Amino acid sequence: MSLTTDRPGRLPRQERRAQLLGAAREAFVQQGYHAAGMDTIAELAGVSKPVLYQHFPGKLELYLAVLDEISERLITSVRAALASTHENKRRVHATFEAYFSFVAEESGGFRLIFESDLTNVLEVSRRVARTNEKCAEMIAAVIIEDTGLDKEMAMMLGAGLTGMAQTAARRWLQSPGTISQSEAARAMTALAWRGISGFPLSPQNP
């Protein structure tokens, strides 16, 4: 058998891994970490349990791999939002849109970052904290570039904006149909912009 394939179906190893991660994400989101079993995940993926264990030695390792994948998706979305324009109000709007789009995904993967039932496990809490920190750092870098504020102040503002985006997006999701995603993003942009725009631009960025 090829080193890059495994049974059943002889999918290439990376494709099989993606399939397993998709099944695990579904199980963890719907059932939570403790209720989701490796048997269930293997069944959802349409593979035998030995195939699942070929890729992941245990349920925690599988959960962490799913968490890494979802976290990277959010980080990539925020990075793209910040890079999408040089106009700061539009940057704020794009960032809120990124968070609202993230929580609106049908997979529900955001729950594994924002509502994990496993945050008492160090490996999980570190990943969640690192995801939030990375998003705050990217926003802080833009703030520093535009205002000349010191790093600590910019990080505090970045963390505040990411917390605002996360909390608002989750709240919006709890009342579907009441407010559209675009309306919600515009409202939060207006709120945040009234605050962040009060910081003067640095002389290098008039």
Side-chain angles (χ1 to χ4, degrees):
M1 185 173 69
S2 168
L3 292 177
T4 61
T5 60
D6 48 37
R7 297 182 184 278
R10 288 182 170 272
L11 282 179
R13 188 169 183 81
Q14 285 304 109
E15 289 185 28
R16 178 69 74 200
R17 179 182 172 86
Q19 177 193 35
L20 298 176
L21 288 175
R25 181 177 62 248
E26 180 181 344
F28 290 138
V29 167
Q30 291 183 357
Q31 302 177 26
Y33 176 82
H34 298 290
M38 295 293 269
D39 287 308
T40 300
I41 294 168
E43 184 177 350
L44 283 171
V47 301
S48 64
K49 205 155 74 165
V51 168
L52 182 56
Y53 279 111
Q54 285 175 12
H55 292 264
F56 303 99
K59 186 165 71 167
L60 178 59
E61 289 79 9
L62 179 54
Y63 185 88
L64 293 176
V66 171
L67 189 59
D68 286 340
E69 180 189 55
I70 295 169
S71 297
E72 187 56 37
R73 191 182 309 150
L74 175 60
I75 291 168
T76 298
S77 295
V78 172
R79 183 184 295 116
L82 293 170
S84 65
T85 177
H86 293 294
E87 185 179 331
N88 285 330
K89 187 173 183 179
R90 290 187 178 182
R91 274 178 172 157
V92 173
H93 182 262
T95 302
F96 276 107
E97 280 282 9
Y99 272 87
F100 279 98
S101 294
F102 181 68
V103 303
E105 290 181 358
E106 290 185 7
S107 70
F110 78 94
R111 292 187 174 90
L112 302 187
I113 300 177
F114 301 153
E115 302 172 5
S116 175
D117 60 351
L118 211 62
T119 51
N120 60 320
V121 174
L122 184 59
E123 296 97 322
V124 173
S125 62
R126 280 178 173 172
R127 280 167 165 80
V128 172
R130 186 172 64 217
T131 300
N132 292 328
E133 185 78 358
K134 182 63 178 176
C135 291
E137 284 176 355
M138 291 188 293
I139 294 172
V142 174
I143 293 173
I144 291 170
E145 179 183 350
D146 286 342
T147 66
L149 289 174
D150 65 75
K151 183 178 179 180
E152 287 304 314
M153 179 63 76
M155 277 299 297
M156 184 178 70
L157 295 174
L161 286 171
T162 57
M164 184 185 295
Q166 179 189 136
T167 302
R170 290 167 61 195
R171 178 65 184 86
W172 165 75
L173 197 65
Q174 293 171 8
S175 53
T178 306
I179 306 171
S180 71
Q181 181 177 328
S182 59
E183 287 175 323
R186 283 197 302 270
M188 292 309 302
T189 297
L191 175 63
W193 183 245
R194 288 182 182 181
I196 198 67
S197 63
F199 290 88
L201 295 174
S202 69
Q204 291 77 24
N205 293 281

